[in-house]
Amino acid sequence: MKMMKLQKSVMAAIMMLGLVVAPVAASVALAQDAAPAAELTDANGKAVDANATNTKKSSGGFFDIVFGSGIVGTILWFALFADGAAAIYFAMDCFVLVKPQKLMPASLISNVQSAMAEGDVMKALKACESDPSAMSNILTAAFRHVEDGYDVIQEAVNGAADLETERLMQRLTWISVCSNLGPSLGLLGTVQGMILTFQALAQGGAGDASMLANSIGQALWTTAGGLIVSIPTITLFYSLRNKANRLIMRMTALTMELLKGLRNVEVLDENA
């Protein structure tokens, strides 16, 4: 319960941070764009456009890339930031979840081993109930079918293992979702930037090659941002997924090893 509350608190903090930072940054950008042009004079006393000077100085920075691609482009950039923050959150959550000491506690295994050495199945079942985990769920499914024979126990263990695998995959899938959203958002930003570029060409903007190059560069930056989010995230997803599958197989094998003493248990027919 404490871990769940902590996870919810971290997620809420990330969302609140995004909601606070995004409007502030957007308002700063809009204020800079809306600032009136101040007249400056050069050495010869001629008027110089201050906005043109500032544009030359500020062009090419990441701030200009984010806020210089229009309202839609800025929204897409914040969506990429949110996707990256969500990927970090789910990665931390799954790192904590997919650990041997989390899924199969050593204390649980020790208590069950001592109970099975004494031949006390009820004691082993109580040990599982007092120490909930994926391993205890698999063992509990086995102990509840002790009277049904070893074959039924084996089927119960396999079914419980499949259920625990599905539960882990439901958590890990969110990492995959974030990794797939990154390139999609980046591609959408690229398409939006190219649309703006061709609109400028249609309006006779072909004469200023630097403006067209800047627009195309801003469009391609969104694709780069999406790939930056996606590549490490998808790598992490497959790494954690394989680790989870290995742990599930290990827990299944360990469960059957703990229950090998029940192989020769005879099942009495109640109708006999």
Side-chain angles (χ1 to χ4, degrees):
M1 291 298 293
K2 292 182 178 179
M3 182 61 68
M4 290 296 294
K5 291 182 179 179
L6 179 60
Q7 293 172 353
K8 291 180 180 179
S9 299
V10 173
M11 194 60 181
I14 292 174
M15 294 178 65
M16 288 298 296
L17 182 62
L19 290 174
V20 171
V21 172
V24 172
S27 62
V28 172
L30 291 174
Q32 290 181 348
D33 293 338
E39 279 197 2
L40 298 178
T41 57
D42 58 10
N44 297 324
K46 295 182 179 180
V48 179
D49 189 358
N51 286 342
T53 305
N54 292 334
T55 302
K56 291 180 181 179
K57 291 181 179 180
S58 61
S59 61
F62 185 73
F63 190 85
D64 298 310
I65 292 172
V66 173
F67 294 103
S69 54
I71 296 176
V72 177
T74 303
I75 292 174
L76 288 173
W77 270 108
F78 281 112
L80 276 173
F81 294 150
D83 184 44
I88 294 173
Y89 167 76
F90 289 119
M92 294 174 60
D93 177 55
C94 292
F95 260 125
V96 174
L97 178 66
V98 185
K99 285 186 176 181
Q101 57 268 33
K102 182 73 174 181
L103 297 177
M104 42 190 305
S107 58
L108 170 66
I109 298 174
S110 178
N111 293 333
V112 172
Q113 285 177 338
S114 61
M116 294 304 296
E118 299 173 2
D120 192 344
V121 177
M122 293 303 299
K123 182 179 179 181
L125 183 59
K126 290 181 180 178
C128 294
E129 293 175 350
S130 62
D131 196 353
S133 61
M135 183 70 180
S136 64
N137 293 335
I138 296 175
L139 287 170
T140 300
F143 291 143
R144 288 178 177 172
H145 293 83
V146 168
E147 297 179 355
D148 298 328
Y150 190 78
D151 293 337
V152 178
I153 292 175
Q154 197 167 14
E155 292 178 0
V157 169
N158 293 333
D162 291 340
L163 181 60
E164 293 302 320
T165 301
E166 182 63 25
R167 288 176 178 172
L168 288 175
M169 289 301 107
Q170 287 180 354
R171 301 278 286 274
L172 291 172
T173 301
W174 286 109
I175 301 179
S176 179
V177 170
C178 293
S179 67
N180 291 328
L181 279 177
S184 299
L185 291 171
L187 180 59
L188 183 58
T190 300
V191 171
Q192 181 260 348
M194 296 304 294
I195 290 173
L196 295 178
T197 300
F198 283 109
Q199 285 180 344
L201 287 172
Q203 295 173 1
D208 193 346
S210 62
M211 288 185 61
L212 292 177
N214 187 43
S215 299
I216 295 173
Q218 288 175 344
L220 294 177
W221 264 109
T222 55
T223 300
L227 293 175
I228 289 172
V229 173
S230 176
I231 292 173
T233 306
I234 196 67
T235 303
L236 180 64
F237 166 72
Y238 282 109
S239 176
L240 290 175
R241 190 195 67 171
N242 293 339
K243 182 179 180 180
N245 288 332
R246 288 195 301 268
L247 287 174
I248 292 293
M249 290 188 291
R250 180 180 170 187
M251 286 188 288
T252 303
L254 182 58
T255 299
M256 301 311 300
E257 179 69 19
L258 292 172
L259 299 175
K260 65 181 180 180
L262 303 176
R263 184 183 297 273
N264 300 321
V265 173
E266 296 182 359
V267 181
L268 298 178
D269 189 356
E270 295 179 357
N271 298 324

